[in-house]
C-alpha cells in the first residue's frame, strides 16, 4: 500500500503544482529542477526499499533474482536522474530497461491473464488521450500492477 500511496502523492505534486503530465516519471527530475530534481532519486530509492522485500516474500525462491533485477533497475534509474546526457544516460536507460523487462517476466510468469488485460486496456486508452506520454503511462500502470500483485498474493 505504501508504494502506491507514495506514487500517488509524488504524481499529484507534479500534476497539481507543475500542471503537467510528464513524458516519463524520470522527466520529473527535470520538471522539479535545481536541488528538487533529487526528489526523483528519493522516490525511486524509497520505492525500491518498499517493493524489494515484498516481492522477495511472494516470488518462489528460485525466481527471487527477477524481483531483485526489477527493483535494482528502478533504483539505478533513480540515482541517475540527469538521463539526457553523459554517463547518467547510459546508466539510466540500461537500468530502466532491465527493470521493465523484469516486470514483464514477473507479469508473464506469475500474474493471472487478467492482470495482463488490466495492464493493456488502460494503456491503450491513455495512449489515445495523450500519445506523447506513452512511457509515463506504462510506468504508472506497471507500478499499479506490481502493487496489485503484492496485495493480492
Amino acid at each position: 500500500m505504501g508504494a502506491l500511496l507514495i506514487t500517488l502523492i509524488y504524481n499529484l505534486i507534479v500534476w497539481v503544482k507543475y500542471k503537467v503530465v510528464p513524458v516519463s516519471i524520470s522527466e520529473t527530475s527535470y520538471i522539479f529542477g535545481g536541488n528538487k530534481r533529487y526528489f526523483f532519486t528519493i522516490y525511486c530509492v524509497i520505492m525500491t526499499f518498499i517493493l524489494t522485500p515484498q516481492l522477495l516474500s511472494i516470488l518462489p525462491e528460485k525466481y527471487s533474482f527477477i524481483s531483485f533485477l526489477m527493483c535494482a533497475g528502478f533504483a539505478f534509474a533513480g540515482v541517475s536522474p540527469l538521463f539526457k546526457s553523459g554517463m547518467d544516460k547510459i546508466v539510466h536507460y540500461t537500468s530502466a530497461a532491465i527493470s521493465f523487462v523484469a516486470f514483464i517476466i514477473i507479469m508473464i510468469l506469475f500474474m493471472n491473464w487478467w492482470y495482463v488485460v488490466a495492464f493493456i486496456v488502460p494503456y491503450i486508452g491513455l495512449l489515445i488521450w495523450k500519445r506523447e506520454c506513452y512511457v509515463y503511462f506504462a510506468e504508472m500502470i506497471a507500478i499499479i500492477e506490481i502493487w496489485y500483485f503484492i496485495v493480492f498474493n
Side-chain angles (χ1 to χ4, degrees):
M1 187 66 175
L4 190 62
L5 186 61
I6 289 168
T7 298
L8 180 64
I9 291 168
Y10 185 82
N11 284 286
L12 280 173
I13 291 168
V14 173
W15 300 332
V16 173
K17 184 172 181 177
Y18 296 95
K19 296 176 180 32
V20 65
V21 176
V23 174
S24 70
I25 192 76
S26 307
E27 185 73 25
T28 60
S29 64
Y30 289 98
I31 292 169
F32 287 135
N35 289 336
K36 293 179 184 174
R37 80 177 48 197
Y38 295 105
F39 288 169
F40 170 68
T41 300
I42 294 165
Y43 165 76
C44 289
V45 170
I46 289 171
M47 291 290 288
T48 299
F49 282 125
I50 291 172
L51 293 175
T52 304
Q54 292 176 337
L55 284 171
L56 287 172
S57 70
I58 292 172
L59 295 179
E61 191 172 327
K62 68 180 180 178
Y63 295 107
S64 61
F65 73 95
I66 298 170
S67 63
F68 174 77
L69 287 175
M70 189 189 89
C71 294
F74 197 67
F76 276 98
V79 297
S80 53
L82 304 176
F83 66 93
K84 292 186 177 180
S85 63
M87 188 61 166
D88 271 6
K89 182 176 185 175
I90 297 166
V91 171
H92 186 89
Y93 282 105
T94 304
S95 302
I98 290 169
S99 184
F100 198 68
V101 168
F103 163 73
I104 296 296
I105 292 169
I106 289 171
M107 204 165 77
I108 291 169
L109 292 179
F110 301 105
M111 293 184 185
N112 293 323
W113 65 270
W114 54 272
Y115 281 24
V116 177
V117 171
F119 179 79
I120 293 171
V121 170
Y123 185 67
I124 291 169
L126 290 168
L127 281 179
I128 292 168
W129 175 60
K130 205 157 176 85
R131 177 175 243 85
E132 67 274 7
C133 299
Y134 70 96
V135 172
Y136 175 74
F137 294 137
E139 292 167 336
M140 291 302 100
I141 291 171
I143 290 169
I144 292 167
E145 290 285 329
I146 287 295
W147 170 80
Y148 195 82
F149 177 66
I150 289 169
V151 168
F152 293 103
N153 278 307

